Amino acid sequence: MQLKRIVDFHKTMGDPTRIRILSLLKSGPLNGQAIAGKLGLKPPTITHHMAKLRDIGLIKERRDKNTIYFYLNVKALEASATAILTIVNEEVIETVEENDRFKILKSFFTADGKLTNLPAQRKKRMVVLEKIISDLKYGIVYEEKELNEYLKKFHDDYATLRRELIMNHYMYRKDNQYEMNPKELWGKM
């Protein structure tokens, strides 16, 4: 899903009119008529472009009586624009030696596979999270309830584990459905 979102973003932003619309919205909210007037386009054309931008989450809207005002979602724009760098960036990634990995897992998991606590140190937390997701399959969409049951095997605070998996890009969530991201998107140590 995450890779599809990156592709959809770049396809959508391939239209110069959409870039011009985002440029207008950076100054503040505008309604469709105002955008059409500034760009010299007809309102139905603006409606079409706004639907495309809404689909990828770059705009938000607020209704005031019969007028809809559009806002730029700056955080979504920044995240989408830099996501491709995460995939192709050639940064040197600190690796954890197999012996260190074994020590970390032994320190944070009981003999029966329960997580004692989530490590504070990022390097160790990544090792723990990768162990937790080792039985999840790429390409499978998991319902939230199903993922919660899986995570409960490791720790009672499954919500924190689920949040960590999302925040560190191991999984992608949409409409209470979760899917593994490609390894290239996983959090860096």
Side-chain angles (χ1 to χ4, degrees):
M1 276 190 218
Q2 184 73 13
L3 198 55
K4 181 182 179 332
R5 288 180 61 210
I6 293 169
V7 170
D8 289 346
F9 169 78
H10 286 282
K11 281 182 181 178
T12 301
M13 295 312 299
D15 188 306
T17 301
R18 294 181 194 137
I19 295 171
R20 291 172 61 206
I21 289 171
L22 294 181
S23 181
L24 286 174
L25 291 177
K26 76 177 181 194
S27 301
L30 291 171
N31 64 43
Q33 291 285 0
I35 295 170
K38 290 179 184 274
L39 295 180
L41 298 171
K42 297 199 181 315
T45 303
I46 297 302
T47 301
H48 166 75
H49 289 296
M50 297 314 268
K52 296 287 188 182
L53 291 169
R54 186 184 317 106
D55 288 346
I56 62 169
L58 294 187
I59 60 165
K60 295 179 179 180
E61 47 189 67
R62 179 182 54 83
R63 182 177 291 276
D64 185 14
K65 297 182 184 168
N66 290 334
T67 306
I68 298 174
Y69 289 91
F70 299 98
Y71 297 81
L72 178 61
N73 185 346
V74 177
K75 287 183 181 179
L77 177 61
E78 289 172 354
S80 295
T82 59
I84 191 86
L85 294 174
T86 304
I87 294 175
V88 297
N89 197 353
E90 294 295 326
E91 286 183 33
V92 176
I93 299 170
E94 181 184 342
T95 59
V96 178
E97 296 295 325
E98 202 55 43
N99 192 33
D100 291 340
R101 185 177 302 277
F102 176 77
K103 288 177 184 175
I104 292 168
L105 294 176
K106 189 174 178 190
S107 297
F108 289 95
F109 285 92
T110 63
D112 63 348
K114 284 282 197 182
L115 180 64
T116 55
N117 64 314
L118 201 56
Q121 188 181 5
R122 182 168 171 74
K123 180 172 93 170
K124 292 177 181 179
R125 187 174 336 125
M126 303 308 261
V127 170
V128 166
L129 291 173
E130 287 180 20
K131 167 67 175 157
I132 289 172
I133 63 166
S134 63
D135 290 333
L136 296 176
K137 305 287 186 238
Y138 179 73
I140 304 285
V141 176
Y142 298 95
E143 294 295 326
E144 187 168 298
K145 187 175 182 179
E146 180 182 9
L147 183 61
N148 289 345
E149 289 302 317
Y150 173 79
L151 294 174
K152 280 181 190 177
K153 295 188 310 189
F154 297 100
H155 201 278
D156 292 335
D157 188 3
Y158 57 88
T160 297
L161 292 179
R162 194 179 63 225
R163 192 175 319 113
E164 286 288 332
L165 292 174
I166 299 300
M167 287 180 0
N168 290 291
H169 306 287
Y170 288 103
M171 298 192 88
Y172 169 75
R173 179 183 76 178
K174 184 175 182 181
D175 300 327
N176 293 328
Q177 294 184 325
Y178 297 77
E179 186 175 350
M180 294 288 294
N181 279 325
K183 279 191 174 187
E184 294 83 10
L185 296 177
W186 291 4
K188 305 292 186 229
M189 290 189 214

